[in-house]
């Protein structure tokens, strides 16, 4: 009998454990200060997650879950949605650490007129590989134009325009959310507004929207905004002025006029919005310093152009004009090298530094010669310190401005990128909302979540509500801060403690988990085969 007692006791314990009800939820987040993505003030409440959805909100005392997170003293918000990301490296860095550590859970690729083609084939590949974030794409006008016309500087024939329309329709049916243009870049710079309207009409008919890198963001920015508004009106399509800014000392303060144009267009019934990154410097190719005509035909044609002394002088004068009038006001220290494959030791240095290294007088004329030399070696990417803080503040405060990084998916330690690759979203919260009070915390989060979700037509992301996807961030509102700088860009932000993508923790107590829980999102006209 004595030997039987331990056996019966063990069976009793096992029976009790077996009868214990399983936890109803996968994760419960308790006691957090919840910003739901709207402009409503935050509320202290609990969230329950089951699978990939938020299934219950409120006081969940007494409920159980397999994992509980105590968010006392922390902010809980929807995962951030980045409307402008260059995701060329997605298949090389599919876990997306630099993006996720900012709190971004959904990214829209294909900006500035460039995107993958054919889209459906690419998206299928992404689904097979897996991704740390949810990804969506725009169809690139430059991509479509180059598919049909190469890099020719002319208007399309009727047959070529029809071919481009067919490709836009195909891209929309394969899952694009809209069409993007890069009218500052070739071959988009060679297009007239009628071509853009015709292609945008097709995207609009399929429920898409239009984002534009404007033709000009320095001198000519007023006319460029007016052109985008005309495209919205004639093509009957919503428009986003992407990475909206005014560049160069000659245009500082010009945001007063550009924002007035947006307000006027909206009052007339047009759907015009903007997105913005929170820095006073941009990053793009060195090629934007060149007149567009000299890039016609591609790299080999460019090399032949600069062999001709007369044409080379015209190119040089165009570069001088752009440096002085459109970019830096002639200050060569404002042009900083970011990625230079042919001379990596220039990365982080300025054009002024390069002139001194070459023992040349730091004049704009000498700088133009080095710029031609750099482009002849394949070009490079450059950070342009050319914006005024007051314009950045004014644009951010506008009720139709969303936050977007214009960043890329970073490989940690590679090159000398713009710090926006690492810090955009924490910078808005920590620097602009908490430290400077340029906007409120509710406004900051709204501009990163519900606003871009609504622009994309995503009704179950970008907000905290029952049955929404569990894309969530939990951060310390007192310490969240971007740490990447123009001197030392490869630094992750502070204060971002948890990031959840479709119910799975991608950042857990500050540690990156390497999950690939993201999904490929397809646009309103997607027609599966």
């Amino acid at each position: 009998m004595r030997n039987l007692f331990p056996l019966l006791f063990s069976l009793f314990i096992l029976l009790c454990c077996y009868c214990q009800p399983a936890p109803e939820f996968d994760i419960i987040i308790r006691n957090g200060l919840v910003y739901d993505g709207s402009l409503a003030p935050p509320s202290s409440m609990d969230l329950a997650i089951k699978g990939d959805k938020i299934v219950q909100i409120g006081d969940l005392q007494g409920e159980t879950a397999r994992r509980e997170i105590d968010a006392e003293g922390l902010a809980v918000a929807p995962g951030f949605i980045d409307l402008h990301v260059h995701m060329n490296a997605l298949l090389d860095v599919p876990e997306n650490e630099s993006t996720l550590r900012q709190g971004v859970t959904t990214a829209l690729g294909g900006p500035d007129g460039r995107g993958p083609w054919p889209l459906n084939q690419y998206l299928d590949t992404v689904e097979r590989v897996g991704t740390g974030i949810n990804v969506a794409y725009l169809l690139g006008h430059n991509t479509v134009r180059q598919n049909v016309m190469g890099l020719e500087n002319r208007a399309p024939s009727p047959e070529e325009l029809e071919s481009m329309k067919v490709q836009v329709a195909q891209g929309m049916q394969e899952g694009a959310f809209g069409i993007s243009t890069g009218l500052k870049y070739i071959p988009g710079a060679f297009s007239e507004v009628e071509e853009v309207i015709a292609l945008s009409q097709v995207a609009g008919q399929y429920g898409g929207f239009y984002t534009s890198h404007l033709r000009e963001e320095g001198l000519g920015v007023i006319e460029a905004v007016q052109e985008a508004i005309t495209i919205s009106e004639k093509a009957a399509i919503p428009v986003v002025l992407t990475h909206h800014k005014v560049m160069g000392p000659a245009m500082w303060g010009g945001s007063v006029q550009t924002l007035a144009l947006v307000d006027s267009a909206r009052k007339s019934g047009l759907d015009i919005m903007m997105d913005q990154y929170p820095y006073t410097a941009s990053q793009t190719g060195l090629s934007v310093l060149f007149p567009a005509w000299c890039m016609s035909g591609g790299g080999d044609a460019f090399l032949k152009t600069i062999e001709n002394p007369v044409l080379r002088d015209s190119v040089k004068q165009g570069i001088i004009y752009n440096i002085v009038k459109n970019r830096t006001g002639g200050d060569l220290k404002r042009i900083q090298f970011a990625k230079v494959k042919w001379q990596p030791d220039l990365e982080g240095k300025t054009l002024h530094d390069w002139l001194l290294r070459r023992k040349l007088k730091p004049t704009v004329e000498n700088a133009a010669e080095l710029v031609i030399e750099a482009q002849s070696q394949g070009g490079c990417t450059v950070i342009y310190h050319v914006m005024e803080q007051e314009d950045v503040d004014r644009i951010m405060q506008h009720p139709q401005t969303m936050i977007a990084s214009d960043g890329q998916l970073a490989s940690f330690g590679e090159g000398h990128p713009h710090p926006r690759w690492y810090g955009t979203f924490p910078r808005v919260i920590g620097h602009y909302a908490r430290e400077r009070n340029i906007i409120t915390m509710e406004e900051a989060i709204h501009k990163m979540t519900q606003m871009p979700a609504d622009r994309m037509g995503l009704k179950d992301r970008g907000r905290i509500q029952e049955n929404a996807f569990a894309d969530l961030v939990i951060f310390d509102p007192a310490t969240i801060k971007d740490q990447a700088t123009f001197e030392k860009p490869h630094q992750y932000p502070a204060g971002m403690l948890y990031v959840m993508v479709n119910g799975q923790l991608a950042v857990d107590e500050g540690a990156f988990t390497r999950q690939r829980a993201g999904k490929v999102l397809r646009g309103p006209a997607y027609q599966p085969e």
Side-chain angles (χ1 to χ4, degrees), residues 87-300:
M87 293 196 284
N88 316 54
L90 179 61
L91 298 178
D92 297 320
V93 285
E95 291 163 352
N96 321 125
E97 184 170 6
S98 62
T99 306
L100 283 162
R101 283 189 176 275
Q102 293 186 59
V104 173
T105 58
T106 299
L108 182 64
D112 294 343
R114 287 290 179 190
W117 183 265
L119 184 59
N120 200 42
Q121 180 179 327
Y122 179 80
L123 295 181
D124 287 346
T125 300
V126 173
E127 284 183 326
R128 286 195 301 272
V129 171
T131 172
I133 56 175
N134 304 308
V135 296
Y137 279 86
L138 297 164
L139 183 68
H141 164 237
N142 285 14
T143 298
V144 168
R145 193 180 213 271
Q146 190 166 349
N147 288 346
V148 174
M149 299 177 60
L151 298 177
E152 295 189 36
N153 183 3
R154 60 176 177 82
S157 69
E159 294 76 19
E160 288 168 333
L161 183 60
E162 189 60 33
S163 293
M164 286 192 277
K165 287 181 178 181
V166 169
Q167 289 196 11
V168 172
Q170 177 185 333
M172 293 300 297
Q173 292 168 1
E174 290 180 349
F177 280 78
I179 186 170
S180 75
T181 57
L183 300 178
K184 183 65 177 175
Y185 305 118
I186 62 168
F190 303 145
S191 64
E192 299 295 336
V193 69
E194 292 78 14
E195 173 188 326
V196 180
I197 290 169
L199 300 181
S200 298
Q201 281 177 330
V202 178
Q205 288 164 2
Y206 283 95
F209 62 98
Y210 170 94
T211 78
S212 181
H213 183 303
L214 301 174
R215 285 191 195 273
E216 296 294 343
E217 294 177 314
L219 295 176
V221 67
I222 305 302
E223 294 79 6
V225 171
Q226 290 171 329
E227 180 185 49
I229 291 170
T230 297
I231 292 165
S232 177
E233 179 184 13
K234 301 296 185 183
I237 192 169
V239 164
V240 176
L241 310 178
T242 198
H243 53 47
H244 187 49
K245 65 179 82 70
V246 290
M247 297 193 311
M251 285 307 300
W252 287 349
S255 59
V256 172
Q257 294 170 272
T258 64
L259 297 178
L261 287 171
V262 170
D263 290 337
S264 177
R266 290 186 64 83
K267 285 178 182 177
S268 74
L270 299 178
D271 187 352
I272 311 293
M273 300 178 73
M274 299 162 283
D275 66 51
Q276 175 199 38
Y277 50 80
Y279 298 89
T280 56
S282 67
Q283 177 176 324
T284 189
L286 190 71
S287 61
V288 298
L289 294 177
F290 290 78
W293 62 264
C294 73
M295 297 295 179
S296 177
D300 290 341

